[in-house]
Each structure stands twice: as structure tokens, then as C-alpha cells.
Amino acid sequence: MRLHVGCAMWTHAPWQGRFLPHPLPPQERLKAYASWCNAVEGNTTFYAIPARGTVETWAGQTDEDFRFVLKMPKSITHVRRLGDVGAELRAFLDAIEPLGPRAHALWIQLPPAFAPADVGVLAAFLRRLPPSHRYAVEVRHRAFFEDPGAAALLEKALAGVGAEWIPFDTTALFQTPPTSDMERDAWTRKPRVARRTVALTDRPIVRYIGRDSVDETVAGWRGWVGQVAGWLREGRSPTVFIHTPDNAEALQLARRFHEDVRARLPELEPLPEPMRAPAEPPTLF
């Protein structure tokens, strides 16, 4: 019974010197993060395929059961729209090969314009992918969340190759008007879609974004605590990523989510004690 939790990145300025030791050389930052969380979103691979040597350093800083959910490059998903992408796909798969089992799933995030009429293109693309990896798809077109027929069409395409549907739960974010610049920015960029809680595989992946307020973020994930506990009881192995608009508290919030689930399932193994920033030295005044 394993629950993996993480954030959208492994280095973030507000964490430095507060949660994580600072300064840290680049080759030790992921190691420090991995003492707090056992999963991370690989968002940087969306913008550029990393050098294989860089990926080797990622593997060297993490245990084999650490999970990377790596986003496919935008040249594949957004520029070429899944067509004629053989060269880019081979380069991406070669670059991430050093991660081995740490590459938990390859994340196909599709643009908002990807509609139910395009599911056939996705299905053909998924069938061409090598079976050596797991795949997970994120869609943002509202029809998939409002039209049961569109949802069923997508689920059928994913089930045919054992792929997962990643929900991005933004309901807490949009529950009340924004109260900070970061929340206002998130309102303009994040998808406003209904919450989805259906798992298609034994390894569901959830992305959750709360608010800058810790209390509002925790209140918004209460339903997920029960859902994830239920998945664990069913023998599934979920991964949950915690976001907030500014992500200042996301590192400790991810661990808190794990603790909330463990309160429902005491048999769930706790996360190890993290590497912490050194305490401030006492002062005379």
C-alpha cells in the first residue's frame, strides 16, 4: 500500500532556507526535495527535451520507487498535435531512459482545443506508443467533463491501451473570487472544469490546486482524502500532486495530504523525516 505525493517542481525560491537547505548546488536540489516528497511533476520536459546526462543526475538523486510523471514535449502534443512525431518521440524516450522505473508515467497534456472529434487521433497515437511505459492523458476541453458521451469516448480510447485520465481539480480555486495577484493569474490560466474522480487503472494520478490560503486548500481536498483512501483499499497505487497559486506552502501541504490519508488508513506507511533547512541561530537582541 503506497501513496505517492508531490509538487509541480522540485526547486522553488520560497522553499529555500525555509523548508530546504540553502544554498544547495543544482545536483543536490532534487535529492533534498525527494526527502520531503516521493513524486514530482516533470513540467520542464514540456518546454525542452533534457540532455540524457541531466536525466542521469535526476536518477542519481532519487530512489527507484520515486515517481516522475513526465510531460511530453509540446512539439508532440501542441505543435504537431500528435501527428508525424516519430523523431521527437524517439529523442524524448532516449533522454529519459536513465530514469528506469522512476518514469512512472508519460503525461500527455492536450491543449484546450483538443475536442471529442479529435479522440480518434489520440487513440491512433496511443496505439503507436511503445508498451515499455505507462501513459496518462490530461484534457481540458469542457465537453469531456459535461457530455457523458464525450467522456465515454475518451475513456474507451484510454482503456484500449491501459492509459490513465489525469484530472486537474480546480474547483477549490474557482469556488470564490481571487484575493491575490497569484490567484488572479491562476484564474486566467487554469481550466475551469468539473471535478472528476474516476480511476481507469490501478495507478490513478490526480492534480489538485487549492488557494493561497492553507485552510482553504485543505478544506478543498477533503473529498480527495476519502477517494484516495478508497483507492488504496482497492489495491490501487495513486499519485497526488498538490498545487497552490503561489506554491509557497505546496511542499509541506503535499506531506499534510499524505498524513490526512494516513489518518484514515493507519496501516499506510508514513513518509520518512525530511531534510530540513537549519534553524536560524539565536541572536542576542
Side-chain angles (χ1 to χ4, degrees):
M1 184 181 290
R2 293 296 304 274
L3 167 61
H4 285 70
V5 295
C7 302
M9 71 289 284
W10 64 72
T11 181
H12 190 41
W15 302 344
Q16 296 171 9
R18 181 176 173 220
F19 301 129
L20 303 177
H22 181 72
L24 278 175
Q27 64 271 22
E28 294 183 17
R29 292 172 186 170
L30 175 55
K31 181 179 180 179
Y33 167 90
S35 74
W36 281 76
C37 295
N38 52 10
V40 72
E41 290 184 359
N43 283 288
T44 59
T45 53
F46 179 72
Y47 300 101
I49 296 174
R52 187 181 172 98
T54 298
V55 178
E56 288 172 351
T57 69
W58 299 350
Q61 295 178 68
T62 53
D63 295 332
E64 282 199 355
D65 67 346
F66 187 89
R67 291 181 175 177
F68 289 84
V69 176
L70 297 166
K71 193 181 291 188
M72 279 198 181
K74 65 179 180 180
S75 59
I76 294 174
T77 57
H78 287 56
V79 178
R80 295 185 179 272
R81 299 289 295 271
L82 309 181
D84 189 24
V85 295
E88 290 91 342
L89 183 61
R90 285 191 294 273
F92 176 60
L93 294 177
D94 179 70
I96 66 171
E97 190 272 336
L99 290 179
R102 300 169 186 81
H104 176 67
L106 305 188
W107 167 18
I108 303 164
Q109 185 186 78
L110 296 168
F114 180 90
D118 301 311
V119 169
V121 175
L122 172 64
F125 173 72
L126 291 171
R127 288 194 297 268
R128 293 193 300 269
L129 292 174
S132 52
H133 289 280
R134 287 176 173 262
Y135 301 95
V137 174
E138 181 186 337
V139 291
R140 297 193 167 192
H141 195 288
R142 295 181 69 168
F144 291 113
F145 302 88
E146 298 172 357
D147 179 358
L153 184 68
L154 179 58
E155 287 180 355
K156 182 178 179 180
L158 299 177
V161 294
E164 188 55 83
W165 180 340
I166 301 180
F168 190 13
D169 182 6
T170 61
T171 53
L173 174 67
F174 290 111
Q175 189 169 16
T176 56
T179 59
S180 69
D181 288 343
M182 295 300 290
E183 288 186 353
R184 279 185 282 273
D185 180 63
W187 264 49
T188 66
R189 295 186 297 107
K190 305 304 182 185
R192 189 184 297 221
V193 295
R195 179 185 289 125
R196 174 185 164 82
T197 59
V198 178
L200 301 181
T201 71
D202 64 340
R203 296 190 181 186
I205 300 168
V206 175
R207 305 179 70 221
Y208 167 81
I209 182 167
R211 303 292 295 254
D212 287 339
S213 162
V214 168
D215 290 342
E216 291 179 50
T217 298
V218 172
W221 77 34
R222 285 176 184 150
W224 282 115
V225 170
Q227 182 67 56
V228 168
W231 284 339
L232 289 163
R233 292 189 188 99
E234 293 169 359
R236 302 180 196 263
S237 181
T239 305
V240 179
F241 294 111
I242 303 299
H243 302 231
T244 66
D246 62 11
N247 282 311
E249 308 294 332
L251 193 61
Q252 65 176 2
L253 281 168
R255 291 181 66 91
R256 181 168 175 178
F257 182 86
H258 192 283
E259 292 167 2
D260 283 2
V261 174
R262 189 165 175 264
R264 302 276 189 101
L265 286 175
E267 62 269 36
L268 180 65
E269 190 173 324
L271 294 171
E273 280 299 307
M275 181 189 303
R276 296 182 182 274
E280 290 290 331
T283 61
L284 296 177
F285 304 100

